[in-house]
Amino acid sequence: MRKDIILSGVGGQGILTIATIIGEAAIAAGLELKQAEVHGMSQRGGDVQSNLRLSDEAIYSDLIPRGEADLIISMEPMEALRYQHYLKKEGWVVTAETPFRNIPNYPAEADLEAGFQSLANVVKLDIDGMAKENNLPRCANVILLGMAAPYIGIVSPEQLRESIARIFAAKGEKVVTMNQQAFDIGYNAVKKG
């Protein structure tokens, strides 16, 4: 089994943390992993993108070919659409619905919506609102990971929760608990929906 995942967003949103959690869970599960990151202007709010390839067989390239991604996980809706040409026809997009308007010519909401309607499978939620509502500052990215968990498939939601515990262990039990709670909020929101 193989899963090709594109992660995208804007610098500082936590995309690379999501990649770290998924990658660590995959390694702990004995899977092969290849990752390529494009940081761009990440320190200044520019786009950040990562190719994450997971498989139970050897992987020979860290880049996902166009039309081959199973899943796009995006912290920002325009950034999700930026990489849609990499998505398989039956692939999934899991994205935050709230735009991060960091450029003067940011697309109109109607244009974003038309882009998402052209795709077969899209899940969008207000992860920033969910993080605020649950008093989980700086955990919106892990809420998004929880939303994406059912579509990752090659690693289970429980393996991802365990990876969160290992990744955040050095920051203390409170941080681990907050991030696992954030993951559960995203996962349960998609399961109910």
Side-chain angles (χ1 to χ4, degrees):
M1 175 185 238
R2 170 184 278 160
K3 277 291 178 169
D4 287 336
I5 304 168
I6 295 201
L7 300 128
S8 64
V10 174
Q13 288 186 310
I15 282 297
L16 299 181
T17 299
I18 294 173
T20 300
I21 294 167
I22 296 171
E24 198 277 344
I27 290 169
L31 297 171
E32 297 290 321
L33 165 73
K34 293 278 187 190
Q35 181 176 359
E37 298 172 358
V38 177
H39 295 275
M41 297 285 288
S42 62
Q43 296 299 316
R44 298 186 184 157
D47 74 321
V48 177
Q49 182 261 346
S50 180
N51 282 231
L52 193 57
R53 307 188 82 190
L54 314 172
S55 180
D56 55 7
E57 298 176 357
I59 304 168
Y60 298 102
S61 173
D62 54 359
L63 297 177
I64 299 170
R66 288 178 186 232
E68 293 298 317
D70 299 290
L71 176 63
I72 294 174
I73 302 172
S74 184
M75 288 292 294
E76 207 288 325
M78 181 188 76
E79 295 300 329
L81 292 173
R82 181 189 305 262
Y83 298 102
Q84 67 181 322
H85 57 280
Y86 283 94
L87 195 63
K88 287 180 180 176
K89 188 174 182 177
E90 68 281 2
W92 282 85
V93 173
V94 178
T95 185
E97 69 180 14
T98 306
F100 183 86
R101 299 180 189 280
N102 60 339
I103 56 174
N105 58 343
Y106 193 93
E109 254 182 73
D111 293 336
L112 289 176
E113 194 53 40
F116 286 117
Q117 287 179 2
S118 72
L119 300 172
N121 302 300
V122 178
V123 176
K124 293 188 296 180
L125 288 174
D126 179 11
I127 59 173
D128 294 320
M130 293 164 77
K132 287 176 189 167
E133 179 182 308
N134 289 281
N135 198 26
L136 294 167
R138 301 178 59 191
C139 291
N141 62 327
V142 183
I143 291 174
L144 182 69
L145 174 60
M147 288 170 52
Y151 308 101
I152 295 172
I154 196 164
V155 290
S156 71
E158 190 52 42
Q159 289 171 313
L160 292 167
R161 281 185 101 259
E162 291 167 3
S163 178
I164 289 167
R166 291 187 295 270
I167 295 293
F168 291 106
K171 295 186 177 193
E173 190 59 36
K174 182 178 178 185
V175 173
V176 169
T177 300
M178 285 175 56
N179 280 282
Q180 287 182 327
Q181 181 184 357
F183 178 86
D184 293 342
I185 288 166
Y187 181 69
N188 290 328
V190 171
K191 271 181 48 180
K192 292 176 188 171

